[in-house]
């Protein structure tokens, strides 16, 4: 969810069923801003606040990666 203006480009913004701005997901369910080859964020400097709070290699991050079968 995009709750503050960090400059996310319009083409990556969608609206949820309640009308709130969220990151657009592509057919694979992943955020449209993920580079599918490198798994890096292509809008890193403008990523939403929640993405800044989700700490890399944190317990939550590691658990999510395990659930998604990501091992790189
Ligand atoms: S950090 Fe991840 S979820 Fe957040 S905008 Fe970038 S690619 Fe999308």
């Amino acid at each position: 969810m995009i709750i503050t203006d960090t400059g996310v480009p319009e083409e990556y913004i969608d609206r949820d069923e309640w009308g709130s701005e969220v990151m657009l997901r592509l057919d694979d369910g992943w955020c449209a801003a993920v580079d599918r080859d490198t798994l890096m964020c292509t809008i890193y400097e403008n990523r939403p606040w929640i993405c800044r709070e989700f700490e890399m290699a944190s317990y939550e991050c590691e658990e999510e990666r395990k659930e998604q079968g990501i091992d790189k």
Side-chain angles (χ1 to χ4, degrees):
M1 180 174 276
I2 301 170
I3 53 177
T4 58
D5 183 9
T6 58
V8 174
E10 281 295 322
E11 63 266 32
Y12 292 111
I13 299 175
D14 197 5
R15 292 211 174 253
D16 67 13
E17 59 201 272
W18 297 280
S20 300
E21 287 188 340
V22 295
M23 289 302 293
L24 175 70
R25 291 173 185 257
L26 299 186
D27 290 344
D28 60 10
W30 286 31
C31 173
V34 175
D35 181 309
R36 269 46 178 185
D37 295 325
T38 64
L39 300 182
M40 305 280 284
C41 178
T42 58
I43 59 162
Y44 190 76
E45 294 301 320
N46 298 98
R47 68 199 186 284
W49 174 83
I50 193 67
C51 301
R52 297 164 195 247
E53 292 296 305
F54 196 88
E55 189 180 345
M56 253 175 38
S58 64
Y59 172 78
E60 292 82 3
C61 178
E62 294 295 332
E63 286 301 303
E64 187 66 26
R65 291 175 70 94
K66 268 189 231 161
E67 272 184 38
Q68 299 299 322
I70 300 169
D71 56 7
K72 56 174 167 170

PDB file of all heavy atoms in Angstrom, residues 33-55:
ATOM      1  N   ALA A  33       7.264  -3.500 -10.055  1.00  0.00           N
ATOM      2  CA  ALA A  33       8.576  -2.855 -10.035  1.00  0.00           C
ATOM      3  C   ALA A  33       9.738  -3.823  -9.801  1.00  0.00           C
ATOM      4  O   ALA A  33      10.891  -3.419  -9.852  1.00  0.00           O
ATOM      5  CB  ALA A  33       8.602  -1.753  -8.971  1.00  0.00           C
ATOM      6  N   VAL A  34       9.425  -5.087  -9.549  1.00  0.00           N
ATOM      7  CA  VAL A  34      10.512  -6.067  -9.349  1.00  0.00           C
ATOM      8  C   VAL A  34      11.112  -6.453 -10.692  1.00  0.00           C
ATOM      9  O   VAL A  34      10.395  -6.841 -11.605  1.00  0.00           O
ATOM     10  CB  VAL A  34       9.990  -7.358  -8.670  1.00  0.00           C
ATOM     11  CG1 VAL A  34      11.096  -8.394  -8.588  1.00  0.00           C
ATOM     12  CG2 VAL A  34       9.445  -7.069  -7.308  1.00  0.00           C
ATOM     13  N   ASP A  35      12.421  -6.365 -10.787  1.00  0.00           N
ATOM     14  CA  ASP A  35      13.112  -6.896 -11.958  1.00  0.00           C
ATOM     15  C   ASP A  35      13.116  -8.415 -11.809  1.00  0.00           C
ATOM     16  O   ASP A  35      13.694  -8.952 -10.853  1.00  0.00           O
ATOM     17  CB  ASP A  35      14.547  -6.341 -12.008  1.00  0.00           C
ATOM     18  CG  ASP A  35      15.303  -6.842 -13.231  1.00  0.00           C
ATOM     19  OD1 ASP A  35      15.313  -8.069 -13.464  1.00  0.00           O
ATOM     20  OD2 ASP A  35      15.880  -6.010 -13.940  1.00  0.00           O
ATOM     21  N   ARG A  36      12.451  -9.115 -12.718  1.00  0.00           N
ATOM     22  CA  ARG A  36      12.279 -10.571 -12.584  1.00  0.00           C
ATOM     23  C   ARG A  36      13.592 -11.341 -12.699  1.00  0.00           C
ATOM     24  O   ARG A  36      13.672 -12.491 -12.269  1.00  0.00           O
ATOM     25  CB  ARG A  36      11.313 -11.087 -13.644  1.00  0.00           C
ATOM     26  CG  ARG A  36       9.833 -11.131 -13.262  1.00  0.00           C
ATOM     27  CD  ARG A  36       9.360  -9.916 -12.618  1.00  0.00           C
ATOM     28  NE  ARG A  36       7.933  -9.972 -12.321  1.00  0.00           N
ATOM     29  CZ  ARG A  36       7.264  -8.966 -11.830  1.00  0.00           C
ATOM     30  NH1 ARG A  36       7.854  -7.826 -11.555  1.00  0.00           N
ATOM     31  NH2 ARG A  36       5.992  -9.083 -11.564  1.00  0.00           N
ATOM     32  N   ASP A  37      14.613 -10.761 -13.276  1.00  0.00           N
ATOM     33  CA  ASP A  37      15.894 -11.457 -13.409  1.00  0.00           C
ATOM     34  C   ASP A  37      16.780 -11.268 -12.180  1.00  0.00           C
ATOM     35  O   ASP A  37      17.389 -12.213 -11.696  1.00  0.00           O
ATOM     36  CB  ASP A  37      16.641 -10.967 -14.656  1.00  0.00           C
ATOM     37  CG  ASP A  37      15.898 -11.337 -15.931  1.00  0.00           C
ATOM     38  OD1 ASP A  37      15.282 -12.422 -15.961  1.00  0.00           O
ATOM     39  OD2 ASP A  37      15.897 -10.524 -16.865  1.00  0.00           O
ATOM     40  N   THR A  38      16.836 -10.052 -11.686  1.00  0.00           N
ATOM     41  CA  THR A  38      17.734  -9.770 -10.567  1.00  0.00           C
ATOM     42  C   THR A  38      17.015  -9.771  -9.223  1.00  0.00           C
ATOM     43  O   THR A  38      17.658  -9.784  -8.178  1.00  0.00           O
ATOM     44  CB  THR A  38      18.389  -8.392 -10.746  1.00  0.00           C
ATOM     45  OG1 THR A  38      17.362  -7.390 -10.691  1.00  0.00           O
ATOM     46  CG2 THR A  38      19.135  -8.307 -12.073  1.00  0.00           C
ATOM     47  N   LEU A  39      15.671  -9.722  -9.248  1.00  0.00           N
ATOM     48  CA  LEU A  39      14.833  -9.586  -8.050  1.00  0.00           C
ATOM     49  C   LEU A  39      15.110  -8.269  -7.310  1.00  0.00           C
ATOM     50  O   LEU A  39      14.818  -8.151  -6.129  1.00  0.00           O
ATOM     51  CB  LEU A  39      14.994 -10.783  -7.108  1.00  0.00           C
ATOM     52  CG  LEU A  39      14.623 -12.141  -7.697  1.00  0.00           C
ATOM     53  CD1 LEU A  39      14.782 -13.237  -6.650  1.00  0.00           C
ATOM     54  CD2 LEU A  39      13.192 -12.126  -8.230  1.00  0.00           C
ATOM     55  N   MET A  40      15.666  -7.313  -8.016  1.00  0.00           N
ATOM     56  CA  MET A  40      15.926  -5.995  -7.417  1.00  0.00           C
ATOM     57  C   MET A  40      14.759  -5.060  -7.728  1.00  0.00           C
ATOM     58  O   MET A  40      14.043  -5.235  -8.709  1.00  0.00           O
ATOM     59  CB  MET A  40      17.208  -5.390  -7.998  1.00  0.00           C
ATOM     60  CG  MET A  40      18.431  -6.272  -7.878  1.00  0.00           C
ATOM     61  SD  MET A  40      19.194  -6.234  -6.278  1.00  0.00           S
ATOM     62  CE  MET A  40      20.021  -4.666  -6.342  1.00  0.00           C
ATOM     63  N   CYS A  41      14.612  -4.049  -6.890  1.00  0.00           N
ATOM     64  CA  CYS A  41      13.572  -3.036  -7.099  1.00  0.00           C
ATOM     65  C   CYS A  41      14.054  -2.035  -8.154  1.00  0.00           C
ATOM     66  O   CYS A  41      15.134  -1.458  -8.008  1.00  0.00           O
ATOM     67  CB  CYS A  41      13.300  -2.315  -5.785  1.00  0.00           C
ATOM     68  SG  CYS A  41      12.078  -1.012  -5.930  1.00  0.00           S
ATOM     69  N   THR A  42      13.234  -1.842  -9.178  1.00  0.00           N
ATOM     70  CA  THR A  42      13.631  -0.929 -10.259  1.00  0.00           C
ATOM     71  C   THR A  42      13.299   0.529  -9.936  1.00  0.00           C
ATOM     72  O   THR A  42      13.659   1.414 -10.707  1.00  0.00           O
ATOM     73  CB  THR A  42      12.942  -1.316 -11.582  1.00  0.00           C
ATOM     74  OG1 THR A  42      11.522  -1.284 -11.391  1.00  0.00           O
ATOM     75  CG2 THR A  42      13.375  -2.699 -12.037  1.00  0.00           C
ATOM     76  N   ILE A  43      12.613   0.764  -8.824  1.00  0.00           N
ATOM     77  CA  ILE A  43      12.290   2.145  -8.421  1.00  0.00           C
ATOM     78  C   ILE A  43      12.776   2.389  -6.997  1.00  0.00           C
ATOM     79  O   ILE A  43      12.120   3.080  -6.214  1.00  0.00           O
ATOM     80  CB  ILE A  43      10.776   2.423  -8.533  1.00  0.00           C
ATOM     81  CG1 ILE A  43       9.969   1.456  -7.655  1.00  0.00           C
ATOM     82  CG2 ILE A  43      10.312   2.370  -9.983  1.00  0.00           C
ATOM     83  CD1 ILE A  43       8.554   1.961  -7.382  1.00  0.00           C
ATOM     84  N   TYR A  44      13.909   1.810  -6.672  1.00  0.00           N
ATOM     85  CA  TYR A  44      14.397   1.780  -5.293  1.00  0.00           C
ATOM     86  C   TYR A  44      14.356   3.144  -4.597  1.00  0.00           C
ATOM     87  O   TYR A  44      13.899   3.261  -3.464  1.00  0.00           O
ATOM     88  CB  TYR A  44      15.826   1.223  -5.267  1.00  0.00           C
ATOM     89  CG  TYR A  44      16.305   0.931  -3.870  1.00  0.00           C
ATOM     90  CD1 TYR A  44      15.856  -0.189  -3.188  1.00  0.00           C
ATOM     91  CD2 TYR A  44      17.204   1.782  -3.237  1.00  0.00           C
ATOM     92  CE1 TYR A  44      16.279  -0.460  -1.897  1.00  0.00           C
ATOM     93  CE2 TYR A  44      17.634   1.516  -1.941  1.00  0.00           C
ATOM     94  CZ  TYR A  44      17.172   0.387  -1.280  1.00  0.00           C
ATOM     95  OH  TYR A  44      17.590   0.128  -0.009  1.00  0.00           O
ATOM     96  N   GLU A  45      14.817   4.183  -5.264  1.00  0.00           N
ATOM     97  CA  GLU A  45      14.852   5.516  -4.634  1.00  0.00           C
ATOM     98  C   GLU A  45      13.451   6.063  -4.366  1.00  0.00           C
ATOM     99  O   GLU A  45      13.284   6.945  -3.531  1.00  0.00           O
ATOM    100  CB  GLU A  45      15.628   6.504  -5.514  1.00  0.00           C
ATOM    101  CG  GLU A  45      17.114   6.182  -5.635  1.00  0.00           C
ATOM    102  CD  GLU A  45      17.826   6.155  -4.276  1.00  0.00           C
ATOM    103  OE1 GLU A  45      17.522   7.015  -3.429  1.00  0.00           O
ATOM    104  OE2 GLU A  45      18.678   5.263  -4.082  1.00  0.00           O
ATOM    105  N   ASN A  46      12.454   5.517  -5.079  1.00  0.00           N
ATOM    106  CA  ASN A  46      11.084   6.008  -4.933  1.00  0.00           C
ATOM    107  C   ASN A  46      10.137   4.952  -4.358  1.00  0.00           C
ATOM    108  O   ASN A  46       8.921   5.102  -4.423  1.00  0.00           O
ATOM    109  CB  ASN A  46      10.545   6.480  -6.294  1.00  0.00           C
ATOM    110  CG  ASN A  46      11.348   7.628  -6.832  1.00  0.00           C
ATOM    111  OD1 ASN A  46      12.228   7.431  -7.663  1.00  0.00           O
ATOM    112  ND2 ASN A  46      11.101   8.816  -6.338  1.00  0.00           N
ATOM    113  N   ARG A  47      10.691   3.893  -3.803  1.00  0.00           N
ATOM    114  CA  ARG A  47       9.846   2.813  -3.295  1.00  0.00           C
ATOM    115  C   ARG A  47       8.951   3.329  -2.159  1.00  0.00           C
ATOM    116  O   ARG A  47       9.329   4.276  -1.456  1.00  0.00           O
ATOM    117  CB  ARG A  47      10.701   1.633  -2.823  1.00  0.00           C
ATOM    118  CG  ARG A  47      11.538   1.901  -1.595  1.00  0.00           C
ATOM    119  CD  ARG A  47      12.644   0.889  -1.484  1.00  0.00           C
ATOM    120  NE  ARG A  47      13.397   1.005  -0.240  1.00  0.00           N
ATOM    121  CZ  ARG A  47      14.307   1.937   0.015  1.00  0.00           C
ATOM    122  NH1 ARG A  47      14.566   2.875  -0.863  1.00  0.00           N
ATOM    123  NH2 ARG A  47      14.962   1.928   1.167  1.00  0.00           N
ATOM    124  N   PRO A  48       7.780   2.690  -1.986  1.00  0.00           N
ATOM    125  CA  PRO A  48       6.856   3.128  -0.934  1.00  0.00           C
ATOM    126  C   PRO A  48       7.454   3.000   0.464  1.00  0.00           C
ATOM    127  O   PRO A  48       8.380   2.221   0.695  1.00  0.00           O
ATOM    128  CB  PRO A  48       5.664   2.176  -1.089  1.00  0.00           C
ATOM    129  CG  PRO A  48       5.749   1.661  -2.476  1.00  0.00           C
ATOM    130  CD  PRO A  48       7.220   1.595  -2.784  1.00  0.00           C
ATOM    131  N   TRP A  49       6.871   3.714   1.376  1.00  0.00           N
ATOM    132  CA  TRP A  49       7.321   3.712   2.771  1.00  0.00           C
ATOM    133  C   TRP A  49       7.353   2.300   3.336  1.00  0.00           C
ATOM    134  O   TRP A  49       8.316   1.911   4.001  1.00  0.00           O
ATOM    135  CB  TRP A  49       6.381   4.610   3.600  1.00  0.00           C
ATOM    136  CG  TRP A  49       6.675   4.568   5.053  1.00  0.00           C
ATOM    137  CD1 TRP A  49       7.626   5.277   5.714  1.00  0.00           C
ATOM    138  CD2 TRP A  49       6.016   3.748   6.043  1.00  0.00           C
ATOM    139  NE1 TRP A  49       7.607   4.952   7.053  1.00  0.00           N
ATOM    140  CE2 TRP A  49       6.632   4.030   7.273  1.00  0.00           C
ATOM    141  CE3 TRP A  49       4.973   2.830   5.986  1.00  0.00           C
ATOM    142  CZ2 TRP A  49       6.229   3.416   8.442  1.00  0.00           C
ATOM    143  CZ3 TRP A  49       4.582   2.203   7.159  1.00  0.00           C
ATOM    144  CH2 TRP A  49       5.201   2.495   8.370  1.00  0.00           C
ATOM    145  N   ILE A  50       6.309   1.523   3.081  1.00  0.00           N
ATOM    146  CA  ILE A  50       6.249   0.169   3.661  1.00  0.00           C
ATOM    147  C   ILE A  50       7.417  -0.686   3.178  1.00  0.00           C
ATOM    148  O   ILE A  50       7.935  -1.516   3.921  1.00  0.00           O
ATOM    149  CB  ILE A  50       4.883  -0.513   3.375  1.00  0.00           C
ATOM    150  CG1 ILE A  50       4.685  -1.753   4.233  1.00  0.00           C
ATOM    151  CG2 ILE A  50       4.715  -0.831   1.896  1.00  0.00           C
ATOM    152  CD1 ILE A  50       4.536  -1.453   5.708  1.00  0.00           C
ATOM    153  N   CYS A  51       7.852  -0.461   1.954  1.00  0.00           N
ATOM    154  CA  CYS A  51       9.000  -1.215   1.441  1.00  0.00           C
ATOM    155  C   CYS A  51      10.277  -0.799   2.170  1.00  0.00           C
ATOM    156  O   CYS A  51      11.181  -1.608   2.343  1.00  0.00           O
ATOM    157  CB  CYS A  51       9.164  -0.977  -0.054  1.00  0.00           C
ATOM    158  SG  CYS A  51       7.725  -1.457  -1.019  1.00  0.00           S
ATOM    159  N   ARG A  52      10.332   0.449   2.599  1.00  0.00           N
ATOM    160  CA  ARG A  52      11.518   0.927   3.335  1.00  0.00           C
ATOM    161  C   ARG A  52      11.560   0.333   4.731  1.00  0.00           C
ATOM    162  O   ARG A  52      12.618   0.150   5.323  1.00  0.00           O
ATOM    163  CB  ARG A  52      11.497   2.454   3.428  1.00  0.00           C
ATOM    164  CG  ARG A  52      11.583   3.095   2.063  1.00  0.00           C
ATOM    165  CD  ARG A  52      11.176   4.555   2.080  1.00  0.00           C
ATOM    166  NE  ARG A  52      10.945   4.992   0.722  1.00  0.00           N
ATOM    167  CZ  ARG A  52      11.699   5.872   0.083  1.00  0.00           C
ATOM    168  NH1 ARG A  52      12.710   6.436   0.689  1.00  0.00           N
ATOM    169  NH2 ARG A  52      11.429   6.186  -1.152  1.00  0.00           N
ATOM    170  N   GLU A  53      10.379   0.011   5.272  1.00  0.00           N
ATOM    171  CA  GLU A  53      10.296  -0.524   6.630  1.00  0.00           C
ATOM    172  C   GLU A  53      10.533  -2.032   6.678  1.00  0.00           C
ATOM    173  O   GLU A  53      10.796  -2.581   7.738  1.00  0.00           O
ATOM    174  CB  GLU A  53       8.916  -0.218   7.226  1.00  0.00           C
ATOM    175  CG  GLU A  53       8.682   1.249   7.481  1.00  0.00           C
ATOM    176  CD  GLU A  53       9.631   1.804   8.516  1.00  0.00           C
ATOM    177  OE1 GLU A  53       9.693   1.248   9.628  1.00  0.00           O
ATOM    178  OE2 GLU A  53      10.327   2.791   8.218  1.00  0.00           O
ATOM    179  N   PHE A  54      10.365  -2.716   5.539  1.00  0.00           N
ATOM    180  CA  PHE A  54      10.508  -4.168   5.500  1.00  0.00           C
ATOM    181  C   PHE A  54      11.993  -4.489   5.376  1.00  0.00           C
ATOM    182  O   PHE A  54      12.567  -4.422   4.307  1.00  0.00           O
ATOM    183  CB  PHE A  54       9.720  -4.729   4.310  1.00  0.00           C
ATOM    184  CG  PHE A  54       9.479  -6.196   4.385  1.00  0.00           C
ATOM    185  CD1 PHE A  54       8.374  -6.698   5.042  1.00  0.00           C
ATOM    186  CD2 PHE A  54      10.356  -7.093   3.792  1.00  0.00           C
ATOM    187  CE1 PHE A  54       8.128  -8.066   5.108  1.00  0.00           C
ATOM    188  CE2 PHE A  54      10.130  -8.455   3.851  1.00  0.00           C
ATOM    189  CZ  PHE A  54       9.016  -8.940   4.509  1.00  0.00           C
ATOM    190  N   GLU A  55      12.589  -4.837   6.491  1.00  0.00           N
ATOM    191  CA  GLU A  55      14.041  -4.985   6.556  1.00  0.00           C
ATOM    192  C   GLU A  55      14.538  -6.226   5.821  1.00  0.00           C
ATOM    193  O   GLU A  55      14.054  -7.335   6.060  1.00  0.00           O
ATOM    194  CB  GLU A  55      14.464  -5.049   8.020  1.00  0.00           C
ATOM    195  CG  GLU A  55      15.943  -4.994   8.220  1.00  0.00           C
ATOM    196  CD  GLU A  55      16.300  -5.071   9.704  1.00  0.00           C
ATOM    197  OE1 GLU A  55      15.411  -4.873  10.540  1.00  0.00           O
ATOM    198  OE2 GLU A  55      17.462  -5.335   9.986  1.00  0.00           O
TER     199      GLU A  55
END
